[in-house]
Amino acid sequence: MIGLSSLRGRKVVPQRTAGELDAMAAAGALVAAALRAVRQAAQPGVSTLELDQIAESVIRDGRGVPSFLGYHGFPGSICSSVNDRVVHGIPSADEVLAAGDLVSIDCGAILDDWHGDSAVTFGVGPLIPADEALSEATRSAMEAGIAAMVPGNRLTDVSHAIEVGTHAAEARHDRKYGIVEGYGGHAIGRSMHMDPFLPNEGSPGRGPHLAAGSVLAIEPMLTLGTTKTIVLEDEWTVITADGTRAAHWEHTVAATDDGPRILTL
């Protein structure tokens, strides 16, 4: 545990009390329930708008509010990013899932003024091996970042862990992955996006300190090719610049004296 005297005068990633972490975990559980329902419903012939409606229903049935809906004008309760879409895909009745699609769903909920934020990637039915490996690599990179959420570390220790986790997956799979430039995680609490921004790569030992109760949304995004992206004319949807597929995994995580606590289980 870091003593208060050792943190005085240092920047610290915003901390939450034990009770506040429990409240955030309740919001996170709603997000997890919505993502489970969406994943179960994601079959060939189902539109991404239908998935959006399912997620919103789960969140509202749990007394929550979809945090994405209306956020800076975003029209959905989820971001549905299929195949070459990286993040921020807008759910649509015209976008119908097909067998073999690689689907990333990002979802957020507010419960009692606290936010939860999480994302998963999955296939519509079986995936080709490259896409399965991409999703596994992205999830394992997230898990490496989660493992670095301990008091005493600094912000970029988490960034560096995500990068090292990505390179470890590259070694396992004998291929390169693109770490998407310009996108990453963030602090979260009574607002969805808070400072500091969390890069998904970089040198360790920099940025604000992690202390007991510090919370970050950890969310690597990897591609089968480029690190570059393009934002479509809808001003939301982010796609890979080379048309390769992308994956996105995210959990909201607290640093505690007992180790990392995932708040979106």
Side-chain angles (χ1 to χ4, degrees):
M1 179 176 181
I2 300 177
L4 290 176
S5 60
S6 66
L7 288 173
R8 193 166 291 125
R10 296 183 179 183
K11 283 191 175 181
V12 177
V13 174
Q15 295 169 266
R16 314 294 170 204
T17 67
E20 290 170 341
L21 292 182
D22 288 345
M24 290 189 72
L30 261 188
V31 175
L35 288 172
R36 283 194 301 272
V38 165
R39 186 168 186 168
Q40 186 173 9
Q43 303 294 327
V46 174
S47 73
T48 54
L49 181 61
E50 289 176 279
L51 298 183
D52 183 81
Q53 292 166 342
I54 289 167
E56 180 174 359
S57 177
V58 170
I59 292 168
R60 294 196 187 279
D61 286 350
R63 299 186 303 105
V65 176
S67 52
F68 292 8
L69 187 60
Y71 181 76
H72 294 298
F74 189 78
S77 296
I78 60 171
C79 296
S80 53
S81 303
V82 181
N83 296 331
D84 67 335
R85 286 158 169 75
V86 182
V87 285
H88 305 162
I90 297 175
S92 169
D94 296 327
E95 184 176 50
V96 176
L97 299 178
D101 279 344
L102 183 67
V103 182
S104 295
I105 303 292
D106 193 356
C107 183
I110 309 165
L111 182 66
D112 297 327
D113 295 325
W114 291 100
H115 286 251
D117 190 4
S118 184
V120 296
T121 294
F122 55 85
V124 180
L127 289 170
I128 62 171
D131 290 347
E132 188 72 51
L134 173 65
S135 180
E136 189 276 331
T138 311
R139 181 172 185 167
S140 65
M142 174 190 68
E143 290 169 347
I146 290 171
M149 281 292 291
V150 293
N153 272 352
R154 297 181 71 167
L155 181 76
T156 68
D157 291 325
V158 181
S159 304
H160 187 66
I162 293 168
E163 180 180 353
V164 169
T166 300
H167 295 323
E170 290 176 330
R172 285 197 307 277
H173 302 159
D174 192 27
R175 66 157 302 133
K176 294 287 289 182
Y177 294 111
I179 299 175
V180 174
E181 290 182 1
Y183 294 87
H186 49 91
I188 181 172
R190 290 190 183 273
S191 299
M192 179 165 56
H193 290 126
M194 302 175 65
D195 291 331
F197 171 76
L198 173 67
N200 284 323
E201 57 186 334
S203 300
R206 301 176 181 174
H209 294 257
L210 299 177
S214 291
V215 182
L216 292 171
I218 297 173
E219 50 178 323
M221 290 144 261
L222 302 182
T223 80
L224 287 173
T226 185
T227 64
K228 306 291 186 183
T229 57
I230 298 168
V231 179
L232 298 185
E233 288 184 2
D234 63 23
E235 299 183 347
W236 282 105
T237 306
V238 179
I239 65 170
T240 58
D242 61 359
T244 56
R245 291 190 170 191
H248 176 205
W249 281 87
E250 177 183 17
H251 269 311
T252 300
V253 185
T256 80
D257 291 324
D258 297 319
R261 179 183 177 185
I262 299 173
L263 302 175
T264 39
L265 288 176

